[in-house]
């Protein structure tokens, strides 16, 4: 069956639920491709009238806000031991380098790290739990969480949907290309962030060695 024909058989309610759940779980702290799912769904909505872009954007926004809030609560209760356990299970996402980079972002930007973290794949996973671990005041977190969720989820849906409408005739012939581009954008973003995390980990290790200083030689026992 052609991909286009198969997509037409997917009920709209399933698309809304999938977007909300995946983005919610990603925001909670589970490494899932929320951005790819959102972009792909917005493209799908631009080609099929059964999927309402307003409902899609609302589901994505709700998932982002609710997921981040649950992640904040989990991080506040679990503390740093939680990050250590996550690092053991997901070393590529919660390794020392990734955590170090995220912590520096929070220390530098505060609540704005939650807002702008929405637009970076790795920080989207960290924002809620790490804000809880670092004991960010909840009212600050909530403001940044709500604004970031609306701008990122709603804005992404609106932009991709509008582009899909403009290029509808082209996308009908090459619908698979839009999905491929979405995947490539997500992978590129992840690779860039991962590379920065490795550099941050290396710098953190160098700083720790410098702070410790050279070890003093052990005293040589006196001899007669």
């Amino acid at each position: 069956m052609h991909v286009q024909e198969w997509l037409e058989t997917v009920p709209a309610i399933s698309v809304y639920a999938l977007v909300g759940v995946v983005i919610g779980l990603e925001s909670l702290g589970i490494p899932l491709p929320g951005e790819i799912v959102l972009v792909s769904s917005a493209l799908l909505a631009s080609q099929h009238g059964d999927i309402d872009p307003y409902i899609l954007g609302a589901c994505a926004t709700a998932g982002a806000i609710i997921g981040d809030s649950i992640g904040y609560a989990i991080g506040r209760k679990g503390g740093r031991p939680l990050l250590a356990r996550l690092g053991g299970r997901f070393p590529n996402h919660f390794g020392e380098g990734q955590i170090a980079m995220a912590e520096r972002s929070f220390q530098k930007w505060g609540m704005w790290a939650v807002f702008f973290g929405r637009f970076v794949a790795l920080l989207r996973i960290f924002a809620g739990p790490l804000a809880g671990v670092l004991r960010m005041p909840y009212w600050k977190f909530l403001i940044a969480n709500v604004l970031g969720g609306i701008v990122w989820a709603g804005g992404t849906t609106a932009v991709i949907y509008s582009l899909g409408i403009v290029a509808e005739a082209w996308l009908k012939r090459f619908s698979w290309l839009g999905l491929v581009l979405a995947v490539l954008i997500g992978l590129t973003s992840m690779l860039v962030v991962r590379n920065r995390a490795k550099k941050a980990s290396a710098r953190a290790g160098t700083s720790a060695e410098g702070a410790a200083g050279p070890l003093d030689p052990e005293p040589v026992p006196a001899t007669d």
Side-chain angles (χ1 to χ4, degrees):
M1 185 182 295
H2 192 275
V3 174
Q4 187 82 5
E5 296 174 354
W6 180 81
L7 289 174
E8 290 175 353
T9 66
V10 178
I13 186 66
S14 299
V15 177
Y16 302 146
L18 176 66
V19 169
V21 169
V22 171
I23 291 178
L25 290 175
E26 182 192 38
S27 301
L28 189 153
I30 299 176
L32 293 175
E35 187 171 46
I36 294 175
V37 169
L38 179 58
V39 170
S40 302
S41 300
L43 282 173
L44 180 61
S46 70
Q47 301 170 55
H48 302 285
D50 293 339
I51 300 176
D52 190 319
Y54 293 101
I55 298 178
L56 181 66
C59 289
T61 301
I65 294 173
I66 294 172
D68 241 13
S69 297
I70 296 175
Y72 175 91
I74 293 174
R76 192 173 181 89
K77 183 176 181 180
R80 290 191 175 275
L82 173 64
L83 294 180
R85 288 196 298 271
L86 290 174
R89 298 196 62 179
F90 305 103
N92 292 331
H93 296 88
F94 292 92
E96 293 182 3
Q98 289 88 339
I99 293 176
M101 188 189 72
E103 284 187 327
R104 279 203 305 275
S105 298
F106 271 74
Q107 290 169 359
K108 182 176 181 180
W109 301 106
M111 63 183 289
W112 292 110
V114 178
F115 178 86
F116 290 110
R118 277 285 168 203
F119 302 88
V120 181
L122 185 63
L123 289 181
R124 232 185 352 262
I125 301 173
F126 271 113
L130 191 57
V133 170
L134 297 179
R135 302 283 176 172
M136 176 182 290
Y138 183 70
W139 68 269
K140 288 186 176 182
F141 169 80
L142 183 61
I143 292 174
N145 179 27
V146 171
L147 292 178
I150 292 173
V151 173
W152 175 72
T156 299
T157 302
V159 170
I160 299 301
Y161 177 82
S162 300
L163 291 175
I165 291 295
V166 171
E168 182 177 6
W170 183 79
L171 286 173
K172 281 184 177 179
R173 294 183 60 188
F174 304 101
S175 59
W176 57 271
L177 187 57
L179 298 179
V180 170
L181 288 175
V183 172
L184 289 177
I185 290 172
L187 289 176
T188 301
S189 174
M190 181 64 70
L191 289 174
V192 170
V193 172
R194 184 174 296 176
N195 184 52
R196 291 181 60 187
K198 288 182 179 179
K199 292 181 179 178
S201 178
R203 286 196 298 267
T206 302
S207 300
E209 291 177 2
L215 295 175
D216 293 331
E218 294 183 359
V220 179
T223 58
D224 294 334

